[in-house]
Amino acid sequence: MILDHDLYKLTDKLASERDLTDEEFLRILFCDDPEFISYLSAKAREKKEEYYGKKVYIRGLIEFTNHCKNNCHYCGIRRDNKNALRYRLSEEEILSCCDTGYGLGFRTFVLQGGEDGYYTDDRMVDIVSAIRKKYPDCAITLSIGEREKESYQKLFDAGADRYLLRHETADKEHYGSLHPIDMSFDHRMQCLKDLREIGFQVGCGMMIGSPGQTMEHIIKDLRFIQKFRPEMVGMGPFIPHHDTMYANEKAGSVELTLRLLSVIRLMFPAVLLPATTALGTLDPMGREKGLMAGANVLMPNLSPVNVRDKYTLYDDKICTGEEAAECIRCLKMRVSKTGYEIVQDRGDPAG
Ligand code: SAM
Ligand code: FES
């Protein structure tokens, strides 16, 4: 049995060596002693500030379609949810979101959506090229799910820089339990490899507390991330959606998510790590706590207000009523209270 004070030594070891044994990771992740947590998060902040100082990067999230051909068991916009009110944004509407965002200081736009066949390669290339042309100083991030390598290559050639594709879980069996039979763990992993080979800055990640997830699965996630070395890690708590088979499941733990943010920061000091909207949904101070645990990115919504409440991946999502200008004003105030500062920057990985 390792004594509590050894946890402090383990944290120092993680900070200097960026790695621990599985058992040592488990010790840290299971410990909810407040004094220890405050030590762990202080170490993570120290590491973050070595690379990013007090800067917090913002990404303007444009949720441009909630149509999806997939049926992920956990997701509120899955194909078979007949109660979801579906929408798509036109190229003009997407560009208008970018205009608003640019004026508010955003220098990264994230186009996220379900896997919607309407957005063929040609349509996506047109949209990405138009944004690239109009905003040469901005980063373009796509988060539109699994496609074939040639398709990713076309999007990259059109000017997209980054791609977010959470691996969801690094355990194949667990993946199988969260997704219908027609979705493939191997294909998702192949997509991540393809994106990396093409030259995208890539983000993977997982939900914390997804149904059936064990601590051993989380260790597998850490080992996968270690091998894959993404530029970004998107990690937020699972939250049930009332129209899914997981309606009555428990939401993920905010505290475990925060400990994991700190662990990820210590393992990968230069990683771009968002404090997610899901974290802010489960805890009114969740995003601030995320920044204090080692996160350095926020992704406020730039989607038009009239579609915001239709992109409901989970219940009670925050910030669905405010205009983008109001959201960023509120976030700037919240962030300044943590001692950090939202900056106007593309926010590429440090070092
Ligand atoms: N279709 C794209 C994809 O598959 O990557 C992007 C959209 S998808 C809705 C974005 C992410 O939302 C997923 O990777 C998943 O981790 C997260 N998500 C979906 N349902 C969720 C839920 N109930 N709670 C928390 N996060 C959820
Ligand atoms: Fe496709 Fe959620 S099932 S975005």
Side-chain angles (χ1 to χ4, degrees), residues 68 70-72 75 77-78 114:
C68 189
N70 291 333
N71 237 339
C72 304
C75 183
I77 61 170
R78 63 204 299 272

Side-chain angles (χ1 to χ4, degrees), residues 238-253:
F238 158 76
I239 305 178
H241 184 284
H242 60 278
D243 281 325
T244 64
M245 64 187 266
Y246 295 143
N248 297 318
E249 294 286 335
K250 258 179 48 192
S253 150

